[in-house]
């Protein structure tokens, strides 16, 4: 059994059912969306046909690509976006009776297209296109952004860590550093990005992510007697319960003595040892030599402790077999939000756009296509009017990026699994220009070009 993976993978790792709480998701929103609805119902504009889009104006500073994540969670949450008795009791405190009555029968009946989970996005990519009446679409802003901004931020950071690890397994273990529900979503997003397992059991249950975990320092400290610490007793207890394939935490006291005791207790077939503190590179080399000298040549070394993509990359040349990443991944490694916005871009077929300084938007419903060379290397992304033909690929390979997610309020996408999304991203990382995988600051991996509409200008 792989060190650090004492909990067997879930039988459900190949599928994501989209299960969410049976509670309504309708109040995961901001009050101003409902007051806008009230005003629109009052002045008769609520039923105008509209198109909203989700996009990021820019990537986090220095990042070269973003990863789309959370789409499946959003579609699942949309099915629960209903105003029942308890939800109506809250909104009736500030809404008029007509608006409350309208909300009582609310369900989204429009269409949604979006980028696939595991696909890339760049500045201006129309990641989500939501179409329907103003009334039904305006209510989905906060729900859409809270899910996509969080999950995409985590997946984007996690993908950088996976690239830095260069094929070595990675365990997500950041649950204690974030909100309990965010922890579950973060585990899913990190797994989508290529992490191998999670310590979070709710993510195992809800999303089928493989689970992992063995022991913390508390278990070693527990085995203290009046005569002092008894590290060997702690190791014997863990091995007796989990087998010699387990991973023993060897840095509670003295690492050299801890490694020696671990091999004495478990034998040379010990699965792994974990180091959670100190200069991890120096210690990994020291521990590798010691393990080999003790005959435990197959024992793996797991490292954890405030790792991020830079620390992982710095350890690439060291004899590290598995990485455990906590805080950094669940907070997006310095970019906790993807910076996405939800903007109205078309009303009754008329393009509309915001012109505010530094917050301008581009009018009109859009589509997007990504071009690549025959070798598969990405060249550029072109965003064009949904009312125009797709641009000429000019000898390049072309792939449309928006796929149907919802039609007439009902889920329209095929049963894409979490494993499918993992595979899409893994293949995508190979298609990026090589410099895009650098951790140094740089421009987006490929440019996004906006094709002018054939016959209409945004108003």
């Amino acid at each position: 059994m792989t060190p650090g993976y004492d909990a067997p993978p879930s039988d459900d790792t190949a599928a994501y059912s989209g299960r969410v709480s049976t509670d309504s998701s309708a109040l995961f929103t901001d009050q101003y969306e409902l007051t806008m609805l009230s005003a629109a119902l009052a002045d008769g504009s609520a039923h105008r046909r509209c198109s909203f889009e989700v996009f990021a104006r820019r990537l986090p500073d220095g990042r070269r690509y973003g990863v789309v994540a959370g789409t499946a969670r959003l579609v699942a949450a949309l099915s629960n976006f209903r105003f029942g008795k308890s939800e109506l009791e809250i909104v009736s405190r500030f809404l008029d009776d007509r608006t409350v009555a309208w909300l009582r029968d609310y369900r989204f009946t429009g269409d949604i297209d979006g980028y696939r989970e595991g696909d890339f996005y760049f500045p201006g990519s129309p990641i989500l296109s939501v179409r329907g009446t103003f009334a039904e679409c305006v209510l989905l802003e906060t729900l859409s952004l809270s899910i996509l901004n969080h999950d995409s931020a985590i997946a984007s950071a996690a993908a950088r860590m996976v690239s830095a690890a260069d094929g070595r397994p990675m365990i997500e273990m950041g649950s204690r550093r974030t909100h309990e529900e965010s922890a579950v979503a973060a585990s899913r997003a990190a797994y989508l990005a290529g992490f191998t397992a999670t310590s979070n059991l709710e993510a195992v249950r809800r999303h089928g992510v493989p689970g992992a975990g063995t022991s913390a320092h508390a278990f070693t400290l527990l085995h203290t007697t009046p005569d002092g610490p008894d590290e060997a007793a702690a190791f014997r207890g863990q091995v007796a319960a989990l087998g010699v394939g387990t991973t023993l935490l060897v840095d509670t006291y003295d690492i050299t003595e801890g490694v020696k005791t671990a091999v004495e207790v478990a034998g040379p077939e010990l699965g792994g040892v974990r180091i959670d503190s100190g200069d991890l590179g120096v210690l990994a080399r020291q521990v590798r030599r010691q393990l080999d000298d003790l005959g435990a040549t197959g024992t793996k070394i797991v490292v954890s402790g405030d790792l991020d993509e830079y620390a992982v990359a710095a350890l690439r040349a060291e004899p590290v077999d598995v990485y455990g990443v906590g805080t950094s991944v669940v907070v997006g490694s310095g970019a906790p939000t993807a910076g996405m916005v939800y903007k109205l871009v078309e009303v009754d077929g008329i393009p509309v756009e915001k012109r505010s300084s530094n917050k301008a938007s581009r009018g009109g419903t859009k589509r997007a296509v990504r071009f690549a060379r025959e070798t598969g290397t990405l060249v550029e992304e072109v965003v064009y009017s949904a009312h125009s033909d797709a641009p000429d690929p000019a000898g390049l390979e072309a792939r449309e990026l928006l796929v149907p997610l919802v039609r007439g309020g009902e889920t329209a996408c095929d049963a894409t699994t979490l494993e499918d999304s993992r595979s899409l991203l893994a293949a995508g990382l190979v298609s990026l220009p090589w410099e895009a995988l650098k951790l140094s600051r740089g421009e987006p991996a490929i440019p996004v070009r906006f094709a002018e509409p054939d016959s209409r200008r945004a108003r």
Side-chain angles (χ1 to χ4, degrees):
M1 193 172 290
T2 304
Y5 295 78
D6 291 354
S10 164
D11 292 336
D12 192 35
T13 56
Y16 167 53
S17 67
R19 292 187 300 271
V20 295
S21 169
T22 56
D23 295 335
S24 169
S25 59
L27 295 186
F28 287 102
T29 191
D30 287 303
Q31 182 168 316
Y32 84 123
E33 292 169 20
L34 298 174
T35 52
M36 278 193 288
L37 167 66
S38 177
L41 288 171
D43 72 9
S45 60
H47 303 296
R48 297 187 72 179
R49 304 299 298 181
C50 291
S51 177
F52 287 80
E53 287 178 351
V54 172
F55 61 93
R57 292 190 176 93
R58 62 192 63 86
L59 296 175
D61 191 31
R63 298 281 179 91
R64 304 187 184 213
Y65 64 88
V67 176
V68 177
T71 308
R73 291 209 309 119
L74 173 59
V75 172
L78 182 61
S79 66
N80 283 350
F81 201 91
R82 303 285 189 274
F83 289 83
K85 182 178 179 181
S86 62
E87 290 75 36
L88 292 172
E89 191 278 327
I90 296 295
V91 301
S92 64
R93 298 174 187 176
F94 60 89
L95 291 177
D96 58 277
D97 291 344
R98 176 172 58 180
T99 305
V100 172
W102 189 91
L103 290 171
R104 184 175 290 112
D105 298 323
Y106 174 82
R107 66 179 292 273
F108 180 72
T109 62
D111 299 335
I112 301 178
D113 294 337
Y115 282 32
R116 297 171 177 86
E117 280 200 289
D119 211 342
F120 298 120
Y121 72 89
F122 301 97
S125 295
I127 297 162
L128 202 72
S129 174
V130 182
R131 304 180 300 281
T133 66
F134 177 82
E136 61 184 342
C137 294
V138 75
L139 296 182
L140 302 183
E141 176 182 357
T142 300
L143 183 71
S144 300
L145 292 180
S146 61
I147 292 175
L148 293 175
N149 267 320
H150 175 269
D151 289 23
S152 297
I154 305 306
S156 298
R160 286 160 55 86
M161 296 174 191
V162 169
S163 294
D166 197 27
R168 301 177 194 180
M170 304 195 73
I171 307 170
E172 183 281 311
M173 49 177 63
S175 297
R176 292 164 292 170
R177 300 295 186 262
T178 189
H179 184 277
E180 66 271 18
E181 280 294 332
S182 297
V184 182
S187 294
R188 180 182 183 274
Y191 182 67
L192 185 157
F195 271 58
T196 321
T198 180
S199 63
N200 187 286
L201 289 179
E202 183 61 23
V204 173
R205 176 174 72 169
R206 196 181 301 181
H207 302 304
V209 180
T214 51
S215 180
H217 292 103
F219 186 74
T220 302
L221 294 170
L222 171 67
H223 293 76
T224 301
T225 71
D227 295 327
D230 192 347
E231 191 173 41
F235 290 169
R236 283 194 297 270
Q238 184 175 328
V239 170
L242 302 178
V244 296
T246 193
T247 298
L248 297 175
L249 183 58
V250 294
D251 69 341
T252 304
Y253 305 115
D254 178 82
I255 289 182
T256 301
E257 285 300 314
V259 171
K260 177 183 175 182
T261 302
V263 176
E264 287 176 350
V265 168
E269 300 304 314
L270 172 63
V273 295
R274 179 161 73 95
I275 309 169
D276 189 51
S277 58
D279 188 326
L280 297 177
V282 172
L283 292 174
R285 292 195 299 273
Q286 171 190 316
V287 168
R288 182 73 273 160
R289 287 193 298 269
Q290 186 180 4
L291 287 170
D292 292 345
D293 289 344
L294 292 171
T297 56
T299 299
K300 306 297 184 183
I301 296 176
V302 182
V303 297
S304 57
D306 298 323
L307 296 178
D308 60 12
E309 61 265 49
Y310 302 102
V312 169
L315 291 168
R316 189 180 301 174
E318 307 298 349
V320 173
D321 299 291
V322 182
Y323 299 95
V325 184
T327 302
S328 184
V329 69
V330 299
V331 299
S333 193
T337 176
M340 296 176 185
V341 295
Y342 183 97
K343 296 301 178 184
L344 178 64
V345 296
E346 193 170 289
V347 179
D348 289 336
I350 305 168
V352 298
E353 61 187 25
K354 184 176 177 180
R355 299 180 181 178
S356 305
S357 177
N358 298 320
K359 289 190 174 182
S361 60
R362 292 177 180 268
T365 306
K366 304 170 197 69
R367 304 288 299 174
V369 62
R370 197 169 288 156
F371 294 139
R373 298 189 179 93
E374 288 185 3
T375 58
T377 302
L378 298 180
V379 174
E380 71 171 348
E381 182 172 317
V382 180
V383 180
Y384 65 97
S385 170
H387 307 290
S388 302
D389 293 333
D392 185 354
L396 298 170
E397 302 290 332
R399 179 168 68 87
E400 284 283 343
L401 298 176
L402 287 137
V403 299
L405 300 176
V406 174
R407 287 292 180 270
E410 301 295 332
T411 301
C413 50
D414 295 331
T416 301
T417 68
L418 194 49
E419 295 294 338
D420 293 334
S421 299
R422 278 168 59 86
S423 298
L424 178 65
L425 177 54
L429 289 170
V430 176
S431 73
L432 287 175
W434 68 269
E435 61 271 16
L437 299 181
K438 291 182 177 179
L439 297 180
S440 57
R441 297 167 60 86
E443 296 299 315
I446 61 172
V448 176
R449 176 165 60 89
F450 292 86
E452 288 297 324
D454 288 343
S455 60
R456 301 186 303 166
R457 295 183 62 83
R459 302 183 184 182

